[in-house]
Amino acid sequence: MGEYATQVVVGVGGRAGVSVAEVCALVEETLRGAGLTVGAVTALATVESKAGEAGITGAAERFGVPLLSYPAARLAAIAVPHPSEAARTATGTPSVAEAAALAGGGELLVPKRRSVAATCAVATAAAHDLRHHGDAEVIDAGSALVDLAVNVRADTPPDWLKQRIAASLGDLAAYPDGRRARAAVAARHGLPVERVLLTAGAAEAFVLIARALGAVRPVVVHPQFTEPEAALRDAGHQVERVVLRAADGFRLDPAAVPEDADLVVIGNPTNPTSVLHPAGTLAALARPGRVPGEREALAGRMDLPGLVVLRSLTKTWGLAGLRIGYVLAEPEVIAELAAAQPLWPVSTPALVAAEACVAPAALAEAEEAARRIAVDRAHLLAGLAEFDEVTVVGVAEGPFVLIRVAGGAEVRTRLRALGFAVRRGDTFPGLDHSWLRLAVRDRATTGRLLQALDHALALAAR
């Protein structure tokens, strides 16, 4: 299901006609000898001339991981401990297994191992850029690109919300007073105010949790939004990962989480997979002293020990520039987090926005927007299903869809040239460059995207 220790890439090679069984047996034996399991594998990798070998492609499918392939010239330039002239003659590179394992970065853990017709080597998976976010795709592009990289709801903030925020500017001479907004959030979730903390966006909440709660064994469930792990690492924590697999539809088995983990971070629906984990699955993670984070499905629960829910108003209301979010937790946890905050952490305009966005009329508007997004998402999924080259893994429930496409980096570049910015997937642990995230937009925009995607795929196939 998942693995929470070292994540690795396995380089593989093989003679023509090598079987799936032989490749898998060699890989599994090599991993066992290194104290690793198949769940630690994020990808298989090989030389391009072997990427169509049925035994190698079949092994990747059996392990439920992508198969990465590299040109022989690129692999030939990588220094390895065991080069082979026979391999150079056969493939154009003196190393296939070791060089392919190292091609994406990382360090060699297990040098080349052989069976009768297969070879493999194991390297640590390359580090992911935990600080990369979708706004990097469009930050300097102005209006030149249709933004499908950031999944903020289109046409937000609405006029009524802009007017409420603008009306608050006359109060800027006074220090912010968050009592009304805090009470409004508490009422919205049916909780006492002692269970609510207002923050400068979810990003501040991640930092507070990392610094104030004293976790000993924090675990982050990936692929997901990377800021929680970045905050934990910045605070000096050694972070373990449970990496969900595409072969399982990115579904979470609570048993994959170490029993003694005292902080468990999971998004719901998860960014970027768009998978919505059942409330029962997440509730099974709750322990005294353990903190899972997720969206509203458990927001009003007071019977789950250690539950911390983080909410952001950014995506629904288009308030990324205002920075407003909140935390729901047991009063003792809220007190610890609040003690780590600076004075007046949330501005007056942000407090006004928070109060406005949890009012009954706003909640009804958000519910209607969610229904429209569901219809638009279905339209996008139907269009993507027309492409043989595109795979959607899992059941999308969020305002974005994760796709896998061969040559994803090239397709993303071609879409950009055609006027569409999409989110790269390779910065998320557990994913590689073959994954792209698409924000859900209206039918007209989706129609133009699908036309551009058709063109980009045709160009990539040449």
Side-chain angles (χ1 to χ4, degrees):
M1 174 64 200
E3 179 66 31
Y4 53 87
T6 303
Q7 300 299 308
V8 298
V9 174
V10 179
V12 292
R15 298 176 188 169
V18 64
S19 69
V20 174
E22 181 172 353
V23 174
C24 289
L26 177 62
V27 170
E28 290 167 351
E29 179 183 352
T30 301
L31 291 170
R32 280 196 300 272
L36 299 167
T37 69
V38 171
V41 179
T42 62
L44 300 190
T46 192
V47 67
E48 282 184 345
S49 61
K50 294 293 182 179
E53 190 69 49
I56 294 176
T57 59
E61 292 175 1
R62 183 171 296 182
F63 292 141
V65 297
L67 175 63
L68 310 179
S69 61
Y70 299 99
R74 178 173 174 183
L75 297 186
I78 297 174
V80 298
H82 302 100
S84 165
E85 285 305 312
R88 185 193 300 273
T89 300
T91 64
T93 172
S95 172
V96 174
E98 290 178 337
L102 291 168
E107 299 179 356
L108 196 65
L109 291 178
V110 183
K112 180 170 60 179
R113 296 288 186 268
R114 295 178 179 274
S115 63
V116 174
T119 60
C120 79
V122 182
T124 55
H128 292 79
D129 182 2
L130 301 179
R131 295 295 189 186
H132 182 90
H133 300 296
D135 62 324
E137 310 283 353
V138 294
I139 194 167
D140 294 319
S143 59
L145 295 171
V146 176
D147 182 6
L148 303 178
V150 179
N151 55 293
V152 172
R153 183 160 63 94
D155 301 321
T156 53
D159 288 340
W160 64 263
L161 183 53
K162 292 179 184 177
Q163 292 166 9
R164 287 283 298 274
I165 294 170
S168 73
L169 299 182
D171 298 325
L172 293 185
Y175 285 99
D177 182 349
R179 287 177 295 179
R180 285 185 52 177
R182 188 183 185 194
V185 171
R188 182 258 182 275
H189 293 290
L191 296 172
V193 293
E194 292 80 11
R195 283 180 168 261
V196 176
L197 180 70
L198 302 175
T199 61
E204 186 201 8
F206 294 138
V207 171
L208 293 174
I209 288 172
R211 295 180 179 178
L213 295 189
V216 175
R217 190 177 184 183
V219 170
V220 180
V221 178
H222 284 293
Q224 80 144 329
F225 184 57
T226 54
E227 195 62 32
E229 180 170 326
L232 287 163
R233 292 187 181 279
D234 288 347
H237 294 282
Q238 295 292 321
V239 180
E240 298 182 40
R241 294 173 176 174
V242 169
V243 181
L244 308 185
R245 303 197 312 171
D248 301 314
F250 296 116
R251 293 186 300 272
L252 172 65
D253 178 359
V257 177
E259 184 63 31
D260 60 346
D262 56 352
L263 173 67
V264 183
V265 184
I266 181 168
N268 205 37
T270 302
N271 174 13
T273 65
S274 203
V275 170
L276 183 67
H277 303 290
T281 298
L282 298 178
L285 297 174
R287 308 279 191 282
R290 174 186 280 188
V291 184
E294 59 92 36
R295 73 163 195 173
E296 185 186 0
L298 299 179
R301 297 281 294 271
M302 290 189 285
D303 60 323
L304 297 176
L307 176 68
V308 175
V309 176
L310 276 59
R311 297 293 305 273
S312 170
L313 301 177
T314 293
K315 302 299 192 296
T316 299
W317 298 108
L319 298 176
L322 198 60
R323 311 310 306 144
I324 178 63
Y326 54 86
V327 180
L328 309 175
E330 294 165 312
E332 297 80 7
V333 173
I334 293 296
E336 289 183 73
L337 298 178
Q341 277 187 310
L343 293 174
W344 311 291
V346 181
S347 69
T348 295
L351 292 171
V352 168
E355 185 178 354
C357 291
V358 296
L363 296 178
E365 181 177 324
E367 181 66 24
E368 176 57 30
R371 285 193 287 267
R372 291 197 302 271
I373 288 172
V375 173
D376 291 337
R377 182 178 60 237
H379 179 64
L380 172 59
L381 290 170
L384 293 171
E386 297 295 319
F387 296 98
D388 293 335
E389 307 93 330
V390 175
T391 302
V392 178
V393 177
V395 179
E397 297 282 359
F400 46 86
V401 173
L402 183 68
I403 66 171
R404 175 187 272 175
V405 56
E410 182 182 357
V411 170
R412 172 175 156 271
T413 299
R414 293 191 181 280
L415 283 173
R416 189 176 184 87
L418 294 168
F420 292 87
V422 301
R423 174 67 158 88
R424 58 191 285 195
D426 62 321
T427 62
F428 294 98
L431 303 182
D432 60 28
H433 55 74
S434 66
W435 297 92
L436 302 173
R437 192 191 71 192
L438 314 176
V440 174
R441 295 290 185 253
D442 60 89
R443 292 174 67 94
T445 302
T446 295
R448 295 196 301 273
L449 166 68
L450 294 172
Q451 289 179 339
L453 180 59
D454 186 39
H455 189 47
L457 291 171
L459 291 173
R462 290 180 181 176

